[in-house]
Amino acid sequence: MDRISFGTDGWRATLDTFTDRRVRIVGQAVADTLAESEPDGSERPVIVGYDARPTSEGFAESLAAVLAGNGFDVLLPERDCPTPLVAYGIVERDAAGAMMVTASHNPPEYNGVKFIPDDGAPALPEVTERIEANLREPTLDAAGTADEGEVRRVDLRTPHAEHAHDLVADGGALDLSGLTVAYDAMHGSGRGVTDALLESAGAQVERLRCERDPEFGGGSPEPSAENLTALAERVVEGDADLGIANDGDADRLAIVTPERGHLDENLFFAATYDRLLEGDSGPAIRTVSTTFLIDRIAEAHGEEVFETAVGFKWVAQAMGEHDALIGGEESGGFSVRGHVREKDGVLMALLAAAAESEESYDDRVDRLEAEHGRIVADKVSVDCPDSEKARVIDDLADHIPDEVAGEAVADVVTVDGFKLLLADGSWLLVRPSGTEPKMRVYAESGSEKNTKAILADGHELVEPLV
C-alpha cells in the first residue's frame, strides 16, 4: 500500500489506497500535532472542509470524529465548499487550523486531504513532516465522555463573500451591473459560491456546469484550455464580456476573453498585477515557472519581484516576508495583500470581473505587450517514476548545454530544478512534478516558434536521463 506522504499540496491517492482507516490515521496525526503546538490545549476549534466528490463528506465526518475524540471542537461547512473558504474561515473564526478533503483537479477516482495551519496559509514542510512523523492508528474512543469535542455545521460562505467584496471594493462602491460573466464551475465546489459572489456585485451571470456531478462530467475538473471549449464558445461567439472557470475545489481559476479565448494564466497574472499597481504599490511573488513579464511590469513601476520554487506554500511564505501586493503561479493560483495567503479562485474571480469592468483584459494585455514585448509560454511533460526524479536532477547537473535553440545559456538558476536563462531573455526550466510521476519542461520566449524550439531541446535534454 502506498505510503501516506504530503507532497506539494497534501496527500492524494486513488480510492483503493485512500481509505477511511487511513484517513482516520491522518486525522489522529493532525490531532497529535496540534496538541504539541497548542499551549492552551484544545480550546480553539478545527475546521474540516470537503469538496464535491462522492466520498469527501464521509471522509470529512471521519476526520471530525477523530478530532472530536481528541477533545477538539470541530466545525464542518453546511455543504461541500471551496478550499479558500476553509482557509479564510480559520482566520475569521480563530481556529487552530483546518483539514480539507479534496483532490482538487484530479479525476474522480482520486481523493486527498491536506492540513492548513492557523494563519490560513499552506503548511510548510516542517509542519507536514511533523504530521507524517505522528501517523498512527487512533486509540481514543471518547464517545459519551466529558472530554469529547463538539461537531457542528457552520456557514463559511457568507463571511468569505463579505470579506471578498470589501477587499475588492477597497473602500469604494463595487457595481458590476454592466458586466456579463459566463461562469463554469466544472461541477465542482465553486458552484453557488463564485457565481453568487459575482451576482451579489451586480454582474449578470451565465452558468455552465453549475450542477453537482461527483464524476465531473466524466473528466477532470481542471480548467485547462482543452476543458473549457464550451465556455470559450459562449464568450467568443456570445455576448458575455468575460469567462471565468474554477477547478474542482475553486482555489484556482482560468479566464476566457472575447478576443483570445482561454487567456494564458501568465498573462492574467501580469494584467492583474498591472491593474493593482494603478491604485497601490508593492512587490510581486512568482514561481520559477512563471513569466518574466511580471518582472518587466514591476520594473516599470519601481517595484521588485521575488522568485520561489513551484508550490503555493513557497509563494505564501514569500508574500508574508515581503508584504507582497500579489503572489501567484502559472497554474492559475493567486492571492493578494489583505487576504489569507492561500490561493483563492473565488476572490480572484471577483477581482477579475472588477478589473474587466474598468478595462478589458484583451485591451490591457495588448497594451502591456506593446510596452514590454510579447511572451509565449508553454510546457511539456516527460514520464518519470517518482523514485527516479532526484537522480534525473542530479544527472542533469552534468548535462547543462552551452546553448538552447541557438541561444547561449547566460545563467543557470537552481531554485527548483534547473532554469537556463538564455542570452535573448528567453528561458528553459526542467523540474520534477510534485503531483505526478513526471518531469516538467517549461519554456518562455517572444514567439511560438522559439518557444517550441526551446521545448524541443528541453525534451531532448531530459528524455535520455529518465
Side-chain angles (χ1 to χ4, degrees):
M1 186 171 286
D2 294 339
R3 186 173 74 90
I4 297 173
S5 178
F6 285 73
T8 299
D9 199 18
W11 169 50
R12 296 181 196 173
T14 54
L15 293 173
D16 57 342
T17 59
F18 196 93
T19 63
D20 187 74
R21 170 182 164 269
R22 302 185 91 205
V23 167
R24 288 172 180 267
I25 288 172
V26 174
Q28 183 62 53
V30 168
D32 290 343
T33 301
L34 288 173
E36 294 168 359
S37 59
E38 285 287 290
D40 298 322
S42 56
E43 293 184 2
R44 295 195 292 170
V46 180
I47 300 174
V48 179
Y50 55 94
D51 69 11
R53 294 164 193 270
T55 58
S56 291
E57 184 172 9
F59 287 138
E61 290 171 345
S62 293
L63 289 171
V66 172
L67 290 163
N70 281 265
F72 289 94
D73 289 337
V74 181
L75 308 178
L76 287 166
E78 295 171 328
R79 47 149 273 194
D80 66 280
C81 72
T83 295
L85 272 62
V86 173
Y88 180 73
I90 297 170
V91 176
E92 194 263 334
R93 293 177 178 272
D94 189 30
M99 301 187 73
M100 180 68 191
V101 180
T102 180
S104 188
H105 62 276
N106 285 69
E109 62 267 23
Y110 280 78
N111 215 323
V113 63
K114 65 180 180 178
F115 173 71
I116 309 173
D118 62 359
D119 61 356
L124 292 170
E126 54 262 34
V127 176
T128 55
E129 287 169 4
R130 279 168 49 207
I131 293 172
E132 289 182 11
N134 283 331
L135 291 170
R136 67 180 178 92
E137 298 275 0
T139 56
L140 298 177
D141 183 10
T145 71
D147 293 332
E148 183 180 10
E150 176 188 9
V151 179
R152 59 190 177 93
R153 298 275 179 169
V154 296
D155 173 18
L156 297 180
R157 186 183 69 83
T158 300
H160 178 276
E162 292 173 348
H163 166 73
H165 186 280
D166 291 345
L167 182 59
V168 174
D170 193 23
L174 185 60
D175 181 6
L176 304 181
S177 57
L179 195 72
T180 299
V181 179
Y183 174 64
D184 187 347
M186 303 195 79
H187 301 298
S189 293
R191 72 193 195 288
V193 178
T194 301
D195 48 338
L197 180 61
L198 292 166
E199 279 190 332
S200 72
Q204 179 178 334
V205 179
E206 300 177 357
R207 292 171 169 84
L208 292 83
R209 293 189 283 190
C210 282
E211 309 81 25
R212 185 182 182 189
D213 178 358
E215 298 300 316
F216 304 113
S220 299
E222 168 66 32
S224 58
E226 55 268 27
N227 290 339
L228 298 178
T229 54
L231 180 64
E233 288 175 5
R234 180 73 66 91
V235 175
V236 174
E237 300 176 8
D239 58 0
D241 301 296
L242 188 68
I244 297 175
N246 286 134
D247 66 337
D249 66 329
D251 64 349
R252 296 186 296 121
L253 87 166
I255 296 295
V256 172
T257 70
E259 292 182 12
R260 287 177 167 80
H262 178 267
L263 182 66
D264 185 289
E265 285 79 4
N266 285 292
L267 294 175
F268 171 75
F269 188 179
T272 303
Y273 183 39
D274 179 73
R275 188 262 184 180
L276 291 172
L277 286 170
E278 291 175 351
D280 207 342
S281 61
I285 311 298
R286 61 161 179 79
T287 62
V288 69
S289 60
T290 303
T291 180
F292 276 176
L293 183 56
I294 305 298
D295 305 59
R296 298 173 196 170
I297 292 168
E299 183 179 6
H301 288 266
E303 300 290 352
E304 291 184 275
V305 172
F306 297 92
E307 186 176 71
T308 73
V310 172
F312 205 83
K313 57 180 174 284
W314 306 118
V315 173
Q317 182 183 46
M319 287 184 72
E321 291 172 351
H322 301 289
D323 188 28
L325 182 58
I326 187 171
E329 50 190 356
E330 52 80 32
S331 58
F334 308 95
S335 189
V336 295
R337 181 191 290 154
H339 189 45
V340 291
R341 291 175 290 114
E342 174 63 285
K343 54 185 183 287
D344 189 335
V346 181
L347 168 70
M348 294 304 298
L350 185 63
L351 181 59
E356 178 73 19
S357 70
E358 298 169 2
E359 179 184 13
S360 75
Y361 271 92
D362 281 324
D363 288 348
R364 191 180 292 270
V365 170
D366 285 344
R367 177 168 54 79
L368 290 174
E369 291 190 333
E371 183 178 351
H372 301 292
R374 187 172 180 233
I375 67 105
V376 177
D378 204 353
K379 60 186 175 183
V380 296
S381 298
V382 180
D383 291 338
C384 179
D386 290 339
S387 60
E388 295 298 305
K389 290 175 179 176
R391 179 195 58 76
V392 170
I393 290 297
D394 287 343
D395 290 351
L396 190 59
D398 297 324
H399 290 81
I400 301 299
D402 293 327
E403 64 176 42
V404 174
E407 283 291 329
V409 175
D411 199 3
V412 179
V413 176
T414 56
V415 170
D416 185 351
F418 287 90
K419 186 174 186 178
L420 312 186
L421 307 182
L422 308 185
D424 66 350
S426 56
W427 52 264
L428 167 71
L429 169 68
V430 178
R431 57 172 295 275
S433 169
T435 57
E436 296 181 280
K438 298 178 184 294
M439 298 296 295
R440 304 289 194 206
V441 182
Y442 306 77
E444 178 176 283
S445 78
S447 72
E448 285 94 347
K449 179 180 178 182
N450 288 345
T451 297
K452 287 181 180 179
I454 294 169
L455 280 178
D457 280 5
H459 189 279
E460 186 175 338
L461 176 66
V462 174
E463 191 169 41
L465 303 178
V466 175

